[in-house]
Amino acid sequence: MIYLPRWLDDELHGRGWVLAAVMLSALLFSGWLVWARWSQPADAVHPVRVEMAPPQPAPLALPVVADPVAMPASAAPAALPSCPHQHVDIAGADGLLQRGCLSATRTRQSGSVRSYVAQAEGVSNWQLTVDAAGGQVISVRLKQTAIGTSPERLYVCDDTACQGASLAAPDASGVRILRLDDTRLQALPPGQRWRRPLPGAKRSPPAAGTAAVEARPVVSLNATLRAQPDRNDAALACAGRGVTIVNNQGAVIDFCALGGAGFEVADDGPTRFVFRDLEGRALVVAVGSDGTIDGVTLGTLSCRDTRCGGVSMSVRGDTGNPAAERSFAFSGTTLYEAGTGRPAATLNGGVTMPSQE
């Protein structure tokens, strides 16, 4: 028998039931754990709690752009590379579409033919040239420079074969727009040299069976080029006096008598002084025998007699001598449409005919 101090014996008697309950609960829980462990099969799968991160938005997929130099013609235009200045889209017979980056348009003059040239820019190897005479496109040339083992190629169209090629009249700033709308060009046969057609001349079709009519690669062009005003080009700007023509659409046309000047004496009528510019336009001033202005004509536009206001003439030398140097000045001179008689253009400036003696 164990003897405990009285105060401990009283304490145990006071808390005996609580301790007994705690010990009984611990024994029951331990027994349940043993039973649960040994009552499950050996290959049972125990659930495991895995902490999941909050869902994140899927990254945006970047579009895959094919080779910008060659891609199907049906591809969206946005897939083609952008160019800093201008471009030409070239569709081949194989269905591939290429974009050639071009420089700003430069203008060259050779006689009455004006050439608008856009050079290759960046990694492009295409050069585009549009020839015009009298405001009409007479030829289009597309040159692909040689790269590596690939030889130089030249695609051309002349005269009426240049379908879809157009040259717009100058706008209010004097800018002209050249458009190629599915204009078809044929490859020049190897070894053959191209010659620019004469304005107004028509080439006879090649004889059947010749190399010219054999199947040649064909490309289709789409482009919109901007040609700067003549006044911005030192080679085309008026060296001296010139005439500014503003039509009823607000377009500004610079007329420089750089194409030549002369006069025609009629048997029974006024003397006609003719001034031509580099584009083949003709400005004609008719002067009566008494020195008065009988009329002014510019293409299909004209004025007659008292309706030709704002025109004056000065002659250096004998007034009656048509070959003497003379100048014509225009100040708000209005020209009218043929047939309708409606105002169509206003002339300001002047032209000078040098002595013809």
Side-chain angles (χ1 to χ4, degrees):
M1 180 175 293
I2 299 174
Y3 292 93
L4 297 174
R6 183 173 180 83
W7 63 269
L8 180 60
D9 184 62
D10 293 341
E11 185 72 17
L12 290 177
H13 278 285
R15 298 183 180 180
W17 290 108
V18 175
L19 292 175
V22 171
M23 293 179 63
L24 179 62
S25 298
L27 289 174
L28 291 176
F29 180 71
S30 299
W32 178 82
L33 288 177
V34 173
W35 175 82
R37 170 68 182 84
W38 293 104
S39 64
Q40 293 184 3
D43 57 350
V45 178
H46 301 280
V48 178
R49 177 178 177 83
V50 179
E51 296 292 336
M52 300 296 291
Q56 299 293 326
L60 295 176
L62 296 177
V64 179
V65 180
D67 182 4
V69 178
M71 56 183 53
S74 59
L80 294 172
S82 59
C83 299
H85 291 101
Q86 306 180 115
H87 65 267
V88 56
D89 290 338
I90 309 154
D94 54 2
L96 294 180
L97 180 65
Q98 304 181 49
R99 170 163 291 179
C101 292
L102 303 174
S103 66
T105 308
R106 299 189 62 183
T107 306
R108 298 191 306 226
Q109 190 80 30
S110 176
S112 60
V113 176
R114 182 166 292 193
S115 299
Y116 301 92
V117 183
Q119 302 282 353
E121 192 171 63
V123 298
S124 171
N125 64 327
W126 297 98
Q127 174 182 303
L128 182 63
T129 303
V130 179
D131 296 323
Q136 301 295 322
V137 175
I138 61 174
S139 66
V140 178
R141 304 191 304 282
L142 179 71
K143 183 172 72 174
Q144 184 181 31
T145 57
I147 294 183
T149 59
S150 178
E152 179 181 290
R153 292 185 175 88
L154 181 63
Y155 300 86
V156 300
C157 72
D158 295 329
D159 303 321
T160 56
C162 297
Q163 296 291 328
S166 62
L167 175 63
D171 62 12
S173 301
V175 174
R176 305 192 94 171
I177 301 297
L178 296 97
R179 286 190 174 86
L180 302 178
D181 186 9
D182 289 331
T183 302
R184 293 168 59 84
L185 279 63
Q186 281 192 324
L188 201 67
Q192 181 175 327
R193 297 187 61 184
W194 177 84
R195 294 182 179 179
R196 179 189 292 117
L198 295 175
K202 301 299 180 182
R203 291 185 177 180
S204 57
T210 62
V213 297
E214 294 177 357
R216 289 184 283 166
V218 176
V219 296
S220 180
L221 306 185
N222 284 278
T224 300
L225 307 182
R226 290 170 55 88
Q228 295 302 310
D230 291 352
R231 69 179 78 94
N232 293 357
D233 192 325
L236 301 175
C238 297
R241 304 178 70 193
V243 178
T244 299
I245 306 165
V246 181
N247 65 19
N248 52 10
Q249 281 82 40
V252 178
I253 301 172
D254 298 314
F255 184 97
C256 300
L258 301 177
F263 64 92
E264 304 169 354
V265 180
D267 294 336
D268 54 349
T271 302
R272 302 172 70 248
F273 296 91
V274 183
F275 302 87
R276 299 185 185 279
D277 70 354
L278 291 175
E279 292 198 61
R281 292 179 293 236
L283 176 64
V284 182
V285 181
V287 179
S289 57
D290 58 353
T292 59
I293 305 297
D294 281 2
V296 178
T297 302
L298 177 66
T300 60
L301 309 180
S302 63
C303 65
R304 291 290 182 269
D305 302 323
T306 57
R307 301 189 80 185
C308 286
V311 185
S312 61
M313 178 183 67
S314 61
V315 182
R316 178 176 294 184
D318 184 5
T319 306
N321 180 10
E325 178 182 324
R326 67 189 61 217
S327 298
F328 296 91
F330 305 90
S331 179
T333 303
T334 301
L335 301 184
Y336 303 87
E337 292 180 349
T340 65
R342 292 181 299 206
T346 303
L347 279 58
N348 288 281
V351 289
T352 298
M353 189 193 78
S355 174
Q356 304 293 301
E357 293 181 323

